[in-house]
Amino acid sequence: MSLRIITATLAFSAVSFGASANDCEISIDANDAMQFSSKTLSVPATCEEVTLTLNHTGSLPAQSMVITL
């Protein structure tokens, strides 16, 4: 019985506080072949804003990675 109360309390606490700032920040690396360090990106649905940082790890100028549509 007490295990259920503890579990319910922990679940309620996680929901009430929402996602922390670190959960809403993603950093990925990209090389010259435009291959990324992660195949998928995900953040909690509770994030109101998401910060995505793209780190250029290749040797070509970062401007060469710009995509125009």
Side-chain angles (χ1 to χ4, degrees), residues 3-17:
L3 182 59
R4 285 188 198 167
I5 294 171
I6 292 171
T7 304
T9 302
L10 290 174
F12 179 73
S13 297
V15 169
S16 64
F17 289 114

Side-chain angles (χ1 to χ4, degrees), residues 30-34 54 56 58-68:
N31 61 22
D32 291 335
M34 293 190 72
L54 177 62
H56 178 250
S59 59
L60 293 173
Q63 291 80 10
S64 64
M65 296 185 68
V66 174
I67 299 173
T68 56

Side-chain angles (χ1 to χ4, degrees), residues 25-29 35-43 50 52-53:
E25 296 177 5
I26 299 174
S27 179
I28 59 172
D29 298 328
Q35 296 171 328
F36 301 98
S37 59
S38 179
K39 294 194 183 291
T40 60
L41 305 174
S42 63
V43 294
V50 176
L52 174 62
T53 303

